[in-house]
Each structure stands twice: as C-alpha cells, then as structure tokens.
Amino acid sequence: MAAGWPPKLGAVSQEERAQGIFSEYATVELPGEHTIEVAITAPAQEPGAPRTAVPTILAVSGEAQHHVSRFFQSWRAENKGWQVIIPLRPRDIQDLFFMDGGFPLVMATMENLFSEASIAPYDVEGGKLVLVGTSNGGATVLRMAAKMPERVAALNLVTGCNAGGFDLRPLDQIVGGDGRCSIRLYAGDQDQFSHDTALRELHQQLVPILEKPGLQLTILPGVGHFDIGQG
C-alpha cells in the first residue's frame, strides 16, 4: 500500500467523530483471486514516510459480518499506535467466515498482511497478529489460529465457540512475546446464546492441549451477549 494514510474515511457519523468515541476507518479491496473488502484503522501516516511495523490486530465482527463492530472502533487504535484489520463478508457469500465457504476469504486476508502486496499501511510487528473475534467472529478467529498458529501472538474470543468442532491441537504453537500461549476467552453469565457455556467447554478442551501457560477464561457477571463490549 502506498504511503499516506488514510485514503478515505468510513461510515462514522459527525456526532461520533465530535465525541471522539469511535475510530474512523478506510475500506480497501483485497487483491488477488478472493474479492473481499477490508476495513482498516491505523495511525496517520505522512506521504513518503518509510514503512514501519506496528502492533496489528486482525478482528472479525459477529452477526452478518458485513460491518465494522463498534466494539473494535471504541479501541481508538490509531491513538495507541496499533492498526486494526477487519475483513467484511461479501454479500454474495452465504457462508459466515468460520464456515467452509467464507473461511478462505479471511485466511486470504491474513496471508496478505505478510506479503509484499499487503493492504495494510504498516508491517505486522514481530511477524505475528493479535486475533480478536466477537460471537461467530470468535468462532472464526479460533479456526484461523488453529490453521496458522505460527502467525498468532494472541487469541481473544469475546464470546464465541468452537462452532465447527475444529482440531484445537495446533493452538499450542501460539507463542507471544512473553513466551506464553496467550488465549483469552470472555463471555457474560447472562449470554442469550449460552456462549458462556460454550467457552467454559472450550476452556476445558484447551487445558490438556496447551503445554505453555497463558489460557484465561473470564465470565463477566450480569453481562449479556450484546453488551459485553460496551463496558
């Protein structure tokens, strides 16, 4: 991607910009055989500036996965020196990203970030991503991490589940900068879709698999499926 960021602004209201609550984002199209738009939030970059590496989060929204989650925008990543990459499911693809029909699109996005044709304005610091997913986005990043654990520094499910019963053994290969296998699972005890139960089960499945420390399960009291990212 050429220096000079962002190329255009995304759909954030004037009121939200004035309040400074949500990040703005730009939308670019992934090159290659997989046609998919990707939303990006990143620190401003002057034209002609040398390309540098920053902490990089690949985040996957829940629901229909056509949108940028307000939860992700609330991080204000551009003020923290992070870049956030959010794949948006094409409307002509019926399968969600964790399903077989949608999964190649998110994997193509992940692989692109480590290529010379990267759509991101910055390189990936340390050559590894932080993965974050909400709801079925949590199921997506779980499958992504199991598919390419060597490119993952940390895995975070903010609700989610092992929706496809995927092989979890590769997750032991996740190693962060501190040498730990950083996998964090979050749900509320009032989750309307029982993701708290699903993540408890996932936690139990992971305990005998992971040899390195770093697995953490957090169940938040009084929190439901739709408000977990609002606190």
Side-chain angles (χ1 to χ4, degrees):
M1 174 174 289
W5 180 260
K8 62 179 179 178
L9 297 178
V12 177
S13 72
Q14 292 292 338
E15 180 180 358
E16 288 165 344
R17 291 175 190 158
Q19 292 175 344
I21 295 174
F22 297 110
S23 297
E24 297 178 345
Y25 62 88
T27 303
V28 298
E29 187 168 299
L30 189 74
E33 71 174 290
H34 298 289
T35 301
I36 178 175
E37 287 195 332
V38 180
I40 303 175
T41 293
Q45 184 184 66
E46 293 296 327
R51 190 173 176 91
T52 58
V54 301
T56 302
I57 302 171
L58 195 158
V60 183
S61 302
E63 300 181 33
Q65 301 180 320
H66 301 312
H67 69 295
V68 177
S69 168
R70 283 287 193 260
F71 174 49
F72 304 155
Q73 290 179 276
S74 71
W75 298 339
R76 298 310 306 273
E78 71 281 4
N79 294 337
K80 298 179 174 71
W82 311 339
Q83 62 180 352
V84 181
I85 314 298
I86 307 163
L88 306 175
R89 184 170 65 89
R91 295 184 182 275
D92 61 346
I93 300 296
Q94 185 174 359
D95 279 2
L96 296 169
F97 280 142
F98 71 85
M99 300 175 179
D100 290 345
F103 190 64
L105 298 174
V106 287
M107 288 308 300
T109 303
M110 186 174 184
E111 292 164 358
N112 169 270
L113 300 177
F114 302 101
S115 72
E116 293 185 0
S118 173
I119 58 172
Y122 299 90
D123 291 335
V124 178
E125 186 176 81
K128 293 188 176 186
L129 298 163
V130 173
L131 300 183
V132 181
T134 60
S135 194
N136 58 58
T140 302
V141 296
L142 181 67
R143 185 177 183 184
M144 294 173 73
K147 180 71 172 180
M148 197 179 288
E150 70 279 6
R151 287 298 193 181
V152 179
L155 172 64
N156 302 272
L157 277 66
V158 186
T159 68
C161 59
N162 186 8
F166 305 114
D167 183 5
L168 302 176
R169 289 173 295 177
L171 296 181
D172 187 54
Q173 300 175 41
I174 294 175
V175 182
D178 59 359
R180 296 166 64 87
C181 184
S182 181
I183 300 177
R184 295 184 174 91
L185 314 174
Y186 302 90
D189 65 359
Q190 303 298 312
D191 191 286
Q192 292 89 334
F193 303 106
S194 300
H195 281 220
D196 53 332
T197 300
L199 290 185
R200 284 191 178 98
E201 293 174 352
L202 177 59
H203 182 268
Q204 292 175 351
Q205 294 168 5
L206 290 173
V207 166
I209 292 173
L210 305 179
E211 296 183 0
K212 297 178 288 294
L215 175 63
Q216 183 180 63
L217 170 67
T218 302
I219 303 298
L220 302 169
V223 174
H225 190 82
F226 300 103
D227 55 2
I228 190 168
Q230 298 179 14

